[in-house]
Amino acid sequence: MLSIASIKSRWTSFIGTFVAVFLGVAILSMTGLVLLSAHPTVPERYRDTPVFAQSPTVDQQDSMFTDGKPWSAAKAGDLVVAFEQIPGVARAIPDRTFYAQPVLGGDPVTDVDQGYPWSAAELAPYRLASGSPPHQADDVVVPETLGVSAGTTLTMLTAAGPAQYRVVGTVDGPGIYLSDSEAARMSPGVRAIGLRLDPGADQDAVQAGARTALGADGQVLAGAARAELEPMADQRVRWIGDQVLTGLGSLSAFVSMFVVASTFAFVVAQRRRELGLLRAIGATPRQVRRVLFGEALAIAVVAGLLGSVLGGVLAPVLGDLLISAGLEPRTFVVETQLLALAGAFVVGLLVAMAGVWAAGRRAARIRPLEALREATVDSTPMTKGRWWAGGVCSGIGLLLIGLTVLGDPEDMTTNSLYAAMALIVGSTLLAPVVIPPVVRLLTAPLASSAVGMIVRGSALTAVRRTASTAAPVLLTVGLAVLISGMVETSMGGYAAARELATRAVAIVIPNGTPGLSDQAATASPGAALLPTELYTDDRRHFPATGIDPAAFAQANTKLDNALDGLVGPDTAAITASAASQLGVRAGDTTRLTFEDGLLVTLRVVAVLPNSAAPTPILLPRKTVRDHAPTALTAAVHVLGSPPTTAPLGAQALDRAAYAASADADEDRLVRIFVALLVIVALGYTALSIANTLLMATASRITDFTTLRRAGATRRQVTLTAAAESALSVTIGATLGFLIALLALYANATGLSHHLGTPLSLSIPWQVPLTAITLSLALALTATTLPIHLSLRHRPLT
Amino acid sequence: MPTPDTVRLRSVSKVYGSAPRSVTALDSVTTEFPAGSFTAVMGPSGSGKSTLLHCAAGLDRPTGGEVLLGGTDLGGLDETKLTELRRERIGFVFQSYNLVSALTAAQNVALPLRLAGRRPRPSEVDGALAEVGLGARGTHLPSEMSGGEQQRVALARALVTRPAAVFADEPTGALDSKTSRDVLTLLRGVVDRHRQTVVMVTHDPVAASYADRVLLMVDGRITEELTGSLTAESIATANRRGTSC
Ligand SMILES: Nc1ncnc2c1ncn2[C@@H]1O[C@H](COP(=O)(O)OP(=O)(O)O)[C@@H](O)[C@H]1O
Ligand SMILES: [Mg+2]
């Protein structure tokens, strides 16, 4: 009863809590829905084929999202024969994928670069929309959506380079289709064989038969389990999307809690008298606490319900955004699941309860006689609990700073983010200790003027109010500086490391294509890197790179071993860590499977330092090309004169431009991530700043009226209030900046250890400047507007 | 033998602050307020009247001595137990700011019962409001009532639990003389009709003349106790005498 009544009568104080929980739950339910929907689905291409055999998968613990170990062409052929003998199996169709990208108007067509054997169209099934199937090596069937009709000649890029193909037909689905024999030449290895069944066949019996035929050489998938056939590249994209969403969700929960906590801290400070009265007329400390919890709960229930509805509405929009940002596969659909909505709602309630917890403790300590006090002087701004909590949070923050510098580089970014969060909470709690000296310092030049004197006096007597108005600014500026600075510094770091590692004058990299064709790679003299994957028999895998040893040694600044021995088809140079993982030394042999499914015995001719090679294993370029006909060159480090005209699907960058270009894909994802986080943090804290200051000002109208009676002009009063909030913003911005700087410094030190290059801190100044300007503008508006309005209408008596 | 509901103070002291700047608000006060008595406490400003009342009512804890209600030593109770005892057996009226502004008069009156976990019967609340002459004003918010009406609502709330003792700190201090008389008559009635104990701080000899007994305080001590037939004049004379020496 009391909770509801006081919410009704003081709803302005609760707007902040309401909006915080509302937005928090909306964001949580939105991200939750998207996260729950983001599970693997049966690939569209395999839609209507009930049973699949899949080649052995590799261990995914390293989060590298590597596809499974392929069967060789011969093994796949045997399997097809065996499967087709199972009763009920009409056809066994091996699927292959390879690089094939049409060129229209001189440019490679973006996002159309996957080629398949024509028979695999049957797996969906996709049908010919016009023309006939491909038979000759240079026959091609293209999607109708490409806008090329049957009978025309089409330039197409494959791993070898551009070539002329004859379009013999168009198909009603995605993908480029070549004849089965041509596809088998491009990609001998097979990772999936689809089983088309006779009408009325017993699917369980077919599965059992296929398992027997397959033995330990892979797995049989049917029904929903076929989702495991999803290409690993899609899964990787989804995983990155999940990281972004999880970050977004936890950040918004953190900020919501922060806003609720500061709102309620304020509500308690404002209502000391009323709560004292309740204590005097018989409310126990527990009951007073329950009043606050009741208020928070009532607000959170309503805000949470509305928030989850909004989240449900916005989730599909976010889903589309993620698809267009490349953070979810194109087949992604957001499903509305009650579980996600209910989960976000419950988290919203918990966040509100956690936020009100500290305020409730403080309220429970209010003594009955405080009902008699009128003025708000903080007699004990620091309680024992606050010292403890503040100390513990700051301690954890500093510990994480230490971990950032010395710990696992993998966790560096998360560690410094958590460090900053802990330090932000810690310093907010300890603010009452920190604030008085800061206030004295900042107001020293103003102390002689009337306004200066009042500002100084009220900031010092109501330390907690000053602290709670400074807190959101601290959070905003801290997060903005930290996140943007972290990205800037690490990108600078990686760029510096890349520039240092090469002697090339120019680097040729892909342009509008997933990689360079052989023609593009050989157009310029230099070290070309041809990446591929090698597989062990125990589900491990090793990335490898095909190189020309002489050119590679010439371009690489970190290589001091001779690679002269790297010539024959059975030779390999491996890094020290790969050597220990494989348990081999120089001169030993090891057996690894290539992309074409063939098991090859390789002789270790050199063991290199880890930093000297882009991948754990180096092979002669020809070895890679022989076993992976569809592999694409990642980059060519040009030695000698750079090419005058870039080959098709390539571009040449000079050293500096290459260093700055970063990994375009990663770069874009990181920027999207940062933008999302900064926008959410800024939006929230803007809300929080406006909210606290509105509350503070409303509660101080009487003070200001008294000032007017004492002879201050309206301008002076407004100026006083404006100066007070400017002071709070300055305090918050200063503390936030210092904390972010500390975390950034730790991050930069850790990164420079990791990369082995000295690294300077860089902060994109426009971000903190925007954050501070925005905070200040909001703070001034939220303070002076209500004062101006109320003093105009309020008589002096 | 004291009756069970007598409020007794034994050498009660209250010192604010510490050593060099300490203020002794109560200096070893011993007295008692028997059940069904009406006591007025007078004295100059700062003499410790409010402090005495707060300690006796269990709103504040003395720094020395003990306060007993019936056989219970208030000093031996933790904060929750003390609150519960106060809620059930003690009523309190401040000089001003007695009502929760978000609640109506009836809700304010029902508050102690609700805090005690009881669902108040409407007749209980209406009865308490009717007793203070506000039967028709139950649905009004404090901001819609005059100062005297608010004080009467506060009194109705202090009485609704039928407490053993009611403490009032200058309950008429902010009221005009007509309204003051209404409130004082109500307090007198509480003692006469329900045999509840009333202790009231006042500056006004006329108000004090409603009581059976007047305690005069100076510098944290009770300097004089007036009983028998009290008139405003005799009280005023005694009060002046106490203040001047
Ligand atoms: N919370 C407090 N802190 C410090 N001194 C106090 C406090 N409350 C009262 N006092 C001091 O105790 C003395 C008695 O106060 P009080 O009981 O309020 O007097 P009265 O009600 O008779 O005017 C006064 O000197 C007053 O200044
Ligand atoms: Mg007093």
Side-chain angles (χ1 to χ4, degrees), chain B residues 49-50 169-170 201:
Chain B
K49 308 179 296 290
S50 296
D169 194 349
E170 304 191 37
V201 169

Side-chain angles (χ1 to χ4, degrees), chain A residues 37-38 323 331-335:
Chain A
S37 310
I323 295 173
T331 49
F332 180 65
V333 184
V334 175
E335 303 144 30

Side-chain angles (χ1 to χ4, degrees), chain A residues 451 454-455 697 700-701 703-705 707-708 712-726 779-792:
Chain A
V451 168
I454 296 169
V455 170
T697 312
R700 301 197 59 215
I701 293 290
D703 275 6
F704 291 131
T705 312
L707 258 182
R708 283 278 279 138
T713 63
R714 207 166 70 199
R715 235 185 110 241
Q716 278 173 319
V717 172
T718 312
L719 203 65
T720 308
E724 282 186 27
S725 17
L780 291 181
T781 318
T783 341
T784 51
L785 204 67
I787 292 187
H788 199 74
L789 293 179
S790 68
L791 288 187
R792 197 166 52 195

Side-chain angles (χ1 to χ4, degrees), chain A residues 395-419:
Chain A
I396 292 176
L398 291 176
L399 205 75
L400 285 169
I401 292 274
L403 262 182
T404 309
V405 178
L406 304 170
D408 186 351
E410 284 272 296
D411 302 331
M412 193 164 55
T413 309
T414 14
N415 277 343
S416 56
L417 198 64
Y418 287 139

Side-chain angles (χ1 to χ4, degrees), chain A residues 373, chain B residues 16 23 25 44-52:
Chain A
R373 297 238 179 89
Chain B
Y16 288 110
V23 176
S45 179
S47 58
K49 308 179 296 290
S50 296
T51 309
L52 175 78

